[in-house]
């Protein structure tokens, strides 16, 4: 959650429950995160938000510098290491120099992480995942605009390591490595992990409808 649509900083809190009827239980401490350099915008996830969007609410688009708001499947993890750490349960993609995320909306591979060596590239723009910095040493793929992808609606959304507090992303959600690693270790595909990402006022409005956990009040 963040304070409003344009905030670049927010707070992440993990929750889990044993069954759909059980109460949500918090897991771990609250974690500071940074969002897109222009805040949040309604994205395309597992819940249709068309009826929720007010005329002045931002809508996530390619290159707008906003992170997506809504509910999104967390499908895979990735990193610089050749294999995931022992005990990690999510599917893992080792990043090599040929792994790219395609952000060219004209490509048939738009919004997909692909190995250039295993496909016939048809894109003019992509992000090389094996970076010179530490940002993608570990990360999680956020399934925004992915089923199916809509051209221009935004691509290559991840949870990853931040540059530091107050230093936003171009559309991802980032946090300290010391907090990202326990999150990845906790994720389990059998538990169907989701990212719920909203400004706090929207979260409060949707809490009952979406059966969301009760959050501590933002300071």
């Amino acid at each position: 959650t963040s304070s409003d649509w344009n905030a670049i900083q927010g707070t992440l809190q993990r929750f889990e429950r044993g069954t759909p009827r059980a109460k949500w239980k918090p897991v771990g401490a609250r974690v500071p995160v940074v969002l897109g350099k222009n805040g949040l915008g309604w994205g395309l996830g597992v819940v249709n938000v068309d009826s929720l969007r007010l005329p002045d609410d931002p809508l996530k688009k390619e290159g707008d510098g906003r992170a997506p708001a809504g509910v999104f499947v967390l499908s895979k993890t990735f990193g610089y290491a050749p294999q995931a750490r022992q005990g990690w349960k999510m599917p893992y993609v080792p990043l090599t120099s040929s792994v790219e995320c395609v952000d060219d909306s004209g490509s048939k591979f738009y919004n997909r992480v692909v190995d250039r060596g295993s496909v016939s590239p048809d894109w003019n723009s992509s992000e090389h995942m094996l970076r010179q910095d530490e940002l993608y040493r570990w990360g999680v793929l956020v399934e925004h605009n992915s089923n199916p992808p809509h051209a221009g609606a935004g691509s290559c959304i991840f949870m990853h390591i931040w540059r530091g507090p107050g230093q936003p992303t171009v559309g991802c959600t980032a946090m300290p490595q010391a907090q990202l690693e326990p999150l990845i270790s906790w994720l389990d595909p059998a538990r169907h992990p989701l990212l719920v990402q909203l400004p706090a006022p929207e979260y409060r409005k949707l809490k009952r409808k979406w059966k969301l956990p009760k959050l501590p009040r933002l300071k």
Side-chain angles (χ1 to χ4, degrees), residues 9 12 16 47 54 57 65 75 83 139 142 150 163 191 196 204-205 215 217:
Q9 299 184 80
L12 180 145
E16 65 183 13
V47 178
L54 299 177
D57 289 351
S75 60
Q83 58 189 20
V142 178
H150 295 263
R163 296 182 188 276
R191 304 290 296 275
V196 178
R204 288 192 289 269
K205 285 193 286 186
L215 288 180
R217 186 174 296 276

Side-chain angles (χ1 to χ4, degrees), residues 77-84 92-101 113-115 127-131 133-141 158 160:
T77 57
F78 57 81
Y80 296 168
Q83 58 189 20
Y92 178 77
V93 179
L95 302 181
T96 66
S97 58
S98 58
V99 174
E100 304 173 31
C101 186
V113 175
V114 296
D115 190 317
E127 180 173 7
H128 290 267
M129 299 291 289
L130 186 62
R131 301 168 60 105
D133 56 28
E134 296 294 300
L135 300 191
Y136 291 175
R137 177 161 294 282
W138 304 117
V140 183
L141 182 61
F158 314 122
H160 63 75

Side-chain angles (χ1 to χ4, degrees), residues 5-213:
W5 285 112
N6 299 315
I8 63 170
Q9 299 184 80
T11 303
L12 180 145
Q13 173 66 61
R14 291 182 281 149
F15 290 91
E16 65 183 13
R17 60 184 180 184
T19 70
R21 293 183 178 274
K23 286 188 176 182
W24 289 108
K25 296 181 179 180
V27 176
R30 297 170 71 192
V31 174
V33 298
V34 291
L35 304 166
K37 62 184 180 181
N38 292 316
L40 293 172
W42 285 117
L44 298 175
V46 297
V47 178
N48 189 311
V49 298
D50 290 345
S51 63
L52 305 173
R53 182 172 175 252
L54 299 177
D56 292 336
D57 289 351
L59 184 66
K60 171 65 186 165
K61 297 178 181 177
E62 187 67 45
D64 63 358
R66 291 185 182 273
V71 184
F72 309 98
V73 170
L74 300 176
S75 60
K76 298 177 182 177
T77 57
F78 57 81
Y80 296 168
Q83 58 189 20
R85 286 189 172 174
Q86 187 173 0
W88 288 10
K89 297 172 281 293
M90 295 290 283
Y92 178 77
V93 179
L95 302 181
T96 66
S97 58
S98 58
V99 174
E100 304 173 31
C101 186
V102 179
D103 56 15
D104 180 351
S105 60
S107 168
K108 65 182 178 182
F109 300 104
Y110 177 59
N111 196 26
R112 285 176 55 189
V113 175
V114 296
D115 190 317
R116 171 178 282 271
S118 63
V119 299
S120 297
D122 67 345
W123 57 86
N124 296 312
S125 177
S126 68
E127 180 173 7
H128 290 267
M129 299 291 289
L130 186 62
R131 301 168 60 105
Q132 295 299 313
D133 56 28
E134 296 294 300
L135 300 191
Y136 291 175
R137 177 161 294 282
W138 304 117
V140 183
L141 182 61
V142 178
E143 294 289 347
H144 162 261
N145 185 32
S146 61
N147 191 29
H150 295 263
S155 62
C156 306
I157 303 298
F158 314 122
M159 304 178 81
H160 63 75
I161 298 168
W162 71 4
R163 296 182 188 276
Q167 298 187 60
T169 70
V170 293
C172 295
T173 299
M175 67 199 75
Q177 181 173 339
Q179 276 72 52
L180 180 62
E181 289 174 349
L183 184 152
I184 293 176
S185 177
W186 170 74
L187 291 175
D188 182 348
R191 304 290 296 275
H192 308 292
L194 298 169
L195 169 65
V196 178
Q197 188 158 258
L198 294 166
E202 301 298 329
Y203 190 99
R204 288 192 289 269
K205 285 193 286 186
L206 293 167
K207 178 181 176 297
R208 183 183 296 273
K209 183 177 182 178
W210 287 3
K211 298 179 173 60
L212 300 171

